[in-house]
Amino acid sequence: MDTICSGCSAKLATADVLYSSEGQPLCAACNAKVDLVDTDKRAAGNIVKAGWSGLGGGVAACGAQIALVGIITYFFIAIAVISGTYALNSLSAGNERFWKHLTPGQRTMVQVCAMIGFVLSALTLLGIPFRIVYGMILGG
């Protein structure tokens, strides 16, 4: 019994049928195209996660400085800077293959989160969170 490919409408022998994640029959060429698009969408998701990681690293760096945990603060700063840089670099020209799968709102959110992570990291390097909190506690 022959099956029809849902991508290109080619007739397929039973042994040659592959299936999409939705259960549609595909030939090998159409399956490769679908798999490539799915992989690109996962990469786009990693861009969003990197943006949020940049923000989280900046917030964690501020919190770590306030909690006086020492060198761990600088690891959080590194996380914020590296994640933010990756996210912003991934949205640059030449990487359209990946970020075209993001909505304009997601792209804006990635940029905003990465930039806030950079600002929080810079403030932490300057000791601002420590000065604010302990200045309020000591009344200075």
Side-chain angles (χ1 to χ4, degrees):
M1 180 173 147
D2 287 339
T3 305
I4 305 294
C5 173
S6 63
C8 64
S9 302
K11 288 188 177 184
L12 303 169
T14 304
D16 296 331
V17 176
L18 299 169
Y19 292 96
S20 69
S21 57
E22 293 84 26
Q24 300 295 322
L26 295 171
C27 65
C30 291
N31 184 58
K33 290 176 191 172
V34 168
D35 186 50
L36 185 59
V37 169
D38 288 342
T39 302
D40 288 352
K41 286 181 181 179
R42 282 193 301 274
N46 289 339
I47 295 170
V48 172
K49 291 173 189 169
W52 282 111
S53 295
L55 175 62
V59 170
C62 287
Q65 187 176 65
I66 292 167
L68 300 173
V69 293
I71 196 165
I72 295 172
T73 301
Y74 298 103
F75 289 119
F76 288 131
I77 290 171
I79 289 168
V81 171
I82 291 168
S83 296
T85 302
Y86 170 78
L88 293 178
N89 187 42
S90 296
L91 294 177
S92 66
N95 291 324
E96 293 89 3
R97 173 181 167 191
F98 305 113
W99 62 255
K100 72 180 180 183
H101 300 289
L102 299 175
T103 65
Q106 286 176 314
R107 290 193 294 268
T108 301
M109 182 273 310
V110 167
Q111 292 169 335
V112 168
C113 286
M115 296 308 288
I116 292 172
F118 290 149
V119 169
L120 292 174
S121 295
L123 292 174
T124 302
L125 282 173
L126 295 172
I128 303 299
F130 176 82
R131 289 179 189 158
I132 290 172
V133 170
Y134 289 101
M136 289 179 357
I137 291 173
L138 299 175

